Amino acid sequence: MRALKRVLAVGALTVPLVIGCAGLASATEGLDASFGQGFFVANQNGAGAAAVESSVSPEGVSHADFFVWSDDTGVTGGFTGSGATWNNG
């Protein structure tokens, strides 16, 4: 079970990177590529939300993801963001 969770986690982190790189390879003047996905749940065990987004354009690239979870033990969460811009002039 632990191995399955690791495979799912690596897959969740790899997909936006692959999509972003494909968009970077095909980005041309005036065009861009983006990906976004979100998820939320609220049930008897707690409530949480998560999202991921990646974008590639002629001006640069960016990626961000976050999660937050709340249950009877408290609240936890995390955020990761990165990006780069460049001058095409």
Side-chain angles (χ1 to χ4, degrees):
M1 186 61 154
R2 192 179 255 176
L4 177 62
K5 288 182 181 178
R6 287 182 184 158
V7 168
L8 291 174
V10 169
L13 295 173
T14 305
V15 169
L17 179 61
V18 169
I19 291 171
C21 288
L24 180 60
S26 67
T28 59
E29 187 69 32
L31 298 177
D32 62 7
S34 62
F35 169 82
Q37 184 173 11
F39 175 78
F40 67 92
V41 63
N43 59 32
Q44 69 275 12
N45 298 319
V52 62
E53 75 80 25
S54 294
S55 86
V56 178
S57 73
E59 289 80 35
V61 296
S62 69
H63 173 79
D65 60 69
F66 81 91
F67 78 96
V68 62
W69 177 257
S70 175
D71 59 19
D72 59 355
T73 63
V75 177
T76 188
F79 173 82
T80 304
S82 61
T85 59
W86 48 80
N87 183 356
N88 291 328

